[in-house]
């Protein structure tokens, strides 16, 4: 069966971005089989079922290359005691309690809610970083089940660290990596590591060994705060990136998250090893940790993607945060107009391809049928040359009407088809007080 999403403004993205007014995208199975003017495609695929997209822009689904589904139930929670005054206190007082307080059903609900928000925001591929030291075993299976029910793509890992119990999460991460194997294009696995400052040499060596055996990369926070750099230099006599590289944690399949406080030599080493970096501008501003040296990374041709770090599942808002942050930080209104969209629209698809073996992020024949269809009536001409202006100042505030992933319609007319949002949110509100109570006693 073929479905034709027609009469919208199709923006293909990819190297040869085309904007096709009254265009059509024809989908069969999990892939795109036709793209072009709607009148032509109607003749080519007369049997295709038609879905009218007039008044809408049809884009490839968005990709988030660093998320934390488990952070969901912290929303609206009061944190006892004095406000955290630095990054390590934020971890100790908030996140390292949130993750410990999660039990079985909380893990599922904590994933389902951001998955709903992904679909609502047209985000069809996510790379997640999970922690639940109160119940590590089987936690990634619970998330996998939620992801498959939602219908999007996700790469999963467990955040190994020595902060609670030495090597917490190694067994769960290894089991899941072996279970997923090469993956099916929908679920992938990485070796998750918290950060250098909570990982002993022994744990790092074990984890990287497992990752290398299985041919997967490592997904690790790097120099998010100055404390991570200082810890590595003080304890191990070398910068964080050099320490991780010494154990073999770098490479094209690995993701170094944040890289706010790395120096020029560390940047050179990331470039030399082909390691990916993920920038999370909203999170960095929220934690007041500093500004990633984005342009220095890009000048070295480092593959820098864009993540939300659990702040949101709306990737256009993350793109705009990157755009605004780097203009202000550089006090230069000439920068970031090209770079912020590049992270989301060019680099995230490249990172996704390295993880999933399929390349979303472009509407082209043979590519995955992952689409975000947004309500948008352009107030001025919209074409290939001025698309980024519409993206940063218009589409960023537009509402997603229809989301498609692997050829399946997950939301249509703003109605979720794969998940019961009302029931899931109600159940989460029921569970949250007990979870908050457990957390307060930690
Ligand atoms: Zn993170």
């Amino acid at each position: 069966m073929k479905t034709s999403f027609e009469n919208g403004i199709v923006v293909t993205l990819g190297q040869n971005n085309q904007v096709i007014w009254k265009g059509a995208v024809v989908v069969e199975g999990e892939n795109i089989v036709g793209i072009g003017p709607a009148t032509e495609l109607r003749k080519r695929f007369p049997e295709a079922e038609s879905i009218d997209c007039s008044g809408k822009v049809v884009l490839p689904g968005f990709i988030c290359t660093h998320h934390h589904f488990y952070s969901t139930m912290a929303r609206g929670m009061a944190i006892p005691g004095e406000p955290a005054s630095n990054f390590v206190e934020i971890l100790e007082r908030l996140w390292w309690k949130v993750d410990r307080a999660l039990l079985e059903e909380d893990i599922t609900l904590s994933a389902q809610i951001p998955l709903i928000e992904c679909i609502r925001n047209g985000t069809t591929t996510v790379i997640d970083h999970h922690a639940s030291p109160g119940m590590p075993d089987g936690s990634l299976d619970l998330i996998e089940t939620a992801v498959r029910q939602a219908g999007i793509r996700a790469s999963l890992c467990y955040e190994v660290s020595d902060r609670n119990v030495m090597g917490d999460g190694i067994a769960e991460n290894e089991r899941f990596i072996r279970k997923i194997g090469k993956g099916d294009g929908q679920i992938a696995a990485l070796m998750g590591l918290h950060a250098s400052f909570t990982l002993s040499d022994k744990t790092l060596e074990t984890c990287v060994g497992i990752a290398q055996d299985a041919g997967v990369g490592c997904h690790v926070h790097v120099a998010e705060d100055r404390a991570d750099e200082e810890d590595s230099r003080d304890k191990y006599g070398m910068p964080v990136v050099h320490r991780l590289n010494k154990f073999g944690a770098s490479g094209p399949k690995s993701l170094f998250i944040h890289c706010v406080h790395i120096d020029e030599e560390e940047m050179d080493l990331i470039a030399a090893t082909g390691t990916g970096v993920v920038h999370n501008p909203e999170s960095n501003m929220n934690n007041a940790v500093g500004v990633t040296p984005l342009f220095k990374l890009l000048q070295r041709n480092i593959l820098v993607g864009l993540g939300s770090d659990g702040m949101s599942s709306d990737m256009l808002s993350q793109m705009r945060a990157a755009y605004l942050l780097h203009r202000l930080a550089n006090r230069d209104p000439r920068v970031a107009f090209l770079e912020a969209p590049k992270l989301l629209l060019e680099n995230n698809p490249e990172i996704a391809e390295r993880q999933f073996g399929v390349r979303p992020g472009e509407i082209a024949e043979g590519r995955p049928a992952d689409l975000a269809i947004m309500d948008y009536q352009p107030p001025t001409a919209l074409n290939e040359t001025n698309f980024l202006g519409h993206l940063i100042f218009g589409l960023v505030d537009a509402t997603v009407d229809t989301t498609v992933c692997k050829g399946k319609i997950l939301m249509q007319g703003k109605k979720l088809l794969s998940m019961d949002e009302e029931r899931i949110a109600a159940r989460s509100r029921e569970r949250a007080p007990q979870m908050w109570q457990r957390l307060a006693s930690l």
Side-chain angles (χ1 to χ4, degrees), residues 66-68 129 159 219 221 224 257-258 280 283 309-310:
H66 182 67
H67 206 319
H68 292 286
H129 205 260
E159 179 179 297
H219 183 181
H221 298 105
E224 177 173 5
I257 311 304
H258 299 300
N280 302 268
S283 164
D309 204 19

Side-chain angles (χ1 to χ4, degrees), residues 13 59 62-66 121 123 278-283 285 294-295 298 304-309 311-328 335-349 374 376 386-398:
L13 300 182
L59 285 157
F62 301 109
I63 300 163
C64 176
T65 46
H66 182 67
N121 287 292
T123 301
V278 181
H279 177 38
N280 302 268
E282 272 195 5
S283 164
M285 288 190 273
L294 177 64
F295 303 127
L298 291 174
V304 185
L306 186 69
S308 69
D309 204 19
M311 292 283 289
S312 168
S313 298
D314 176 354
M315 291 315 295
L316 288 181
S317 73
Q318 307 307 300
M319 179 276 301
R320 187 145 90 178
Y323 166 78
L324 294 172
L325 170 63
H326 292 284
R327 284 166 94 90
L328 177 63
V335 301
F337 184 82
L338 297 176
E339 292 89 343
K342 179 187 166 84
L343 304 187
L344 177 64
L345 305 180
E346 289 178 39
N347 294 358
N348 274 4
M374 310 182 77
Y376 188 61
N386 72 357
F387 168 69
L388 293 183
H390 284 275
L391 185 78
I392 295 171
F393 299 105
L395 284 162
V396 70
D397 295 320

Side-chain angles (χ1 to χ4, degrees), residues 3 86 123 189-190 301 385 404:
T3 308
N86 61 54
T123 301
L190 281 166
N301 285 323
T385 55
V404 179

Side-chain angles (χ1 to χ4, degrees), residues 248-259:
S250 41
K253 286 192 170 174
S254 287
L255 293 173
F256 284 5
I257 311 304
H258 299 300
C259 295

Side-chain angles (χ1 to χ4, degrees), residues 284-305:
N284 295 160
M285 288 190 273
N286 185 50
N287 289 328
V289 289
V291 181
T292 297
L294 177 64
F295 303 127
K296 288 185 175 181
L297 296 170
L298 291 174
Q299 277 156 16
R300 286 169 168 80
N301 285 323
I302 292 169
L303 183 66
V304 185

Side-chain angles (χ1 to χ4, degrees), residues 22 59-60 238 241 387 403 406:
K22 283 204 169 292
L59 285 157
M238 64 186 89
V241 171
F387 168 69
T403 301
K406 296 178 77 222

